[in-house]
Amino acid sequence: MQSATLPDGRVIFCVNAYEVDFSVHEIFSEDLLAHGLSLPADGVYLDVGANIGLFSLYLRDHCPTARLIGFEPMPAAFAALKANMAAMSPAGTAVQLALGDHSGWAEFDYFPGIAALSTQNRAVGQKMSAGLRGLLGGGAAQDGVQDVLDKTGVAAVAHDAAFLDQLFQPEVVRAQVETLSDQMRVLGVDTVDLLKIDTEGAEREVLAGLAAEDWPKIRQMLIEVHLGEQVLAEMAADLRRRGFTTSLGRHPLCRDGAEVFHIYAAR
């Protein structure tokens, strides 16, 4: 594990320190209230695809007595997540699992150089890698992202093809998969104030693992969608049929073929 310092001076654990600045920009600048979501101080929050736990840290800042549970299947990212959850007060819970539509084991493409890209959906991983590689070398980032990239020092190596080849080289990792409903029962979760899903292309499988009787237990969702605008529209429509109101957003990386969108859903 490595460590990194957040803008407020906190030291956290991570896989790659140079990833943290961008993730902090993405997560900590998010105004969930503007999208109709609420953050009860003592709520229950499920962070699916938690990576090193930055979204859970964001929630702890806003929800001092909340119950936070993060799911992350990749061993290196999970080690950092577990350490960051343990350092919170009160501590969060880290679970080393992927969530999907059935129990079992699955192969993931794990990117040691950019752990946040790790995915069970190889096509999504390839598309995201190509889009991010274009972003690093193109100098066309929007919404303050270029400033963050410059801060990481990536500009100095953005045109080094050998470095970028290594950065975006995945390795195959097998990980255990369980369903969301099974984990809610194991963890004794009766109500979820916010379900956040960021699984690099497995968002539909995560929701497919939610049994019919458990859907009413979910008050709000924040879903990152990596499967294109048609799937985005289909997922949003399905959530509305289930009684949610929805708001849609675009991720800063939604360019160069890396289609990334957000669904904000609340009852």
Side-chain angles (χ1 to χ4, degrees):
M1 274 193 297
Q2 298 182 22
S3 64
T5 302
L6 299 183
D8 63 6
R10 278 181 293 179
V11 177
I12 64 165
F13 297 97
C14 60
V15 179
N16 301 302
Y18 52 77
E19 288 188 75
V20 172
D21 280 330
F22 182 80
S23 297
V24 167
H25 169 80
E26 174 192 354
I27 293 169
F28 283 68
S29 63
E30 179 80 284
D31 185 357
L32 299 180
L33 301 182
H35 292 280
L37 302 185
S38 62
L39 299 176
D42 59 350
V44 177
Y45 298 85
L46 304 186
D47 186 354
V48 180
N51 194 248
I52 66 171
L54 286 175
F55 185 74
S56 289
L57 286 170
Y58 168 90
L59 290 174
R60 175 59 76 225
D61 288 347
H62 291 81
C63 312
T65 58
R67 183 182 183 192
L68 306 179
I69 304 171
F71 297 88
E72 173 55 48
M74 296 297 96
F78 174 77
L81 172 67
K82 184 176 181 181
N84 288 329
M85 287 292 213
M88 294 179 182
S89 181
T93 300
V95 182
Q96 190 174 2
L97 286 174
L99 297 185
D101 56 5
H102 65 278
S103 299
W105 289 79
E107 289 188 348
F108 291 75
D109 279 353
Y110 170 65
F111 291 80
I114 304 183
L117 287 182
S118 301
T119 177
Q120 190 180 349
N121 188 318
R122 179 158 293 170
V124 167
Q126 291 172 343
K127 183 177 288 188
M128 289 293 296
S129 295
L132 183 54
R133 185 166 184 159
L135 182 69
L136 295 180
Q142 302 297 316
D143 300 326
V145 175
Q146 190 62 49
D147 291 339
V148 179
L149 293 175
D150 292 342
K151 181 180 176 183
T152 68
V154 73
V157 294
H159 300 289
D160 184 338
F163 171 80
L164 293 178
D165 287 343
Q166 182 178 357
L167 189 67
F168 292 105
Q169 179 62 46
E171 58 187 48
V172 176
V173 173
R174 280 177 55 81
Q176 189 175 359
V177 182
E178 298 291 347
T179 70
L180 177 55
S181 281
D182 283 346
Q183 283 302 295
M184 288 172 64
R185 284 188 283 275
V186 167
L187 295 163
V189 173
D190 296 320
T191 300
V192 178
D193 290 282
L194 179 64
L195 169 63
K196 170 261 189 180
I197 302 173
D198 181 3
T199 52
E200 307 298 312
E203 46 270 19
R204 290 184 297 184
E205 288 82 353
V206 173
L207 291 178
L210 189 59
E213 64 270 21
D214 291 327
W215 272 93
K217 301 175 183 178
I218 312 297
R219 287 188 54 246
Q220 302 179 115
M221 295 188 189
L222 168 56
I223 307 171
E224 193 160 289
V225 180
H226 296 78
L227 301 169
E229 292 191 74
Q230 181 175 341
V231 171
L232 173 76
E234 292 170 357
M235 292 182 67
D238 181 65
L239 290 172
R240 289 192 293 271
R241 285 192 293 268
R242 295 179 182 274
F244 292 88
T245 59
T246 62
S247 172
L248 306 181
R250 299 174 72 89
H251 190 284
L253 289 184
C254 192
R255 65 181 296 278
D256 292 341
E259 299 176 300
V260 188
F261 305 91
H262 287 158
I263 300 176
Y264 308 84
R267 294 190 186 276

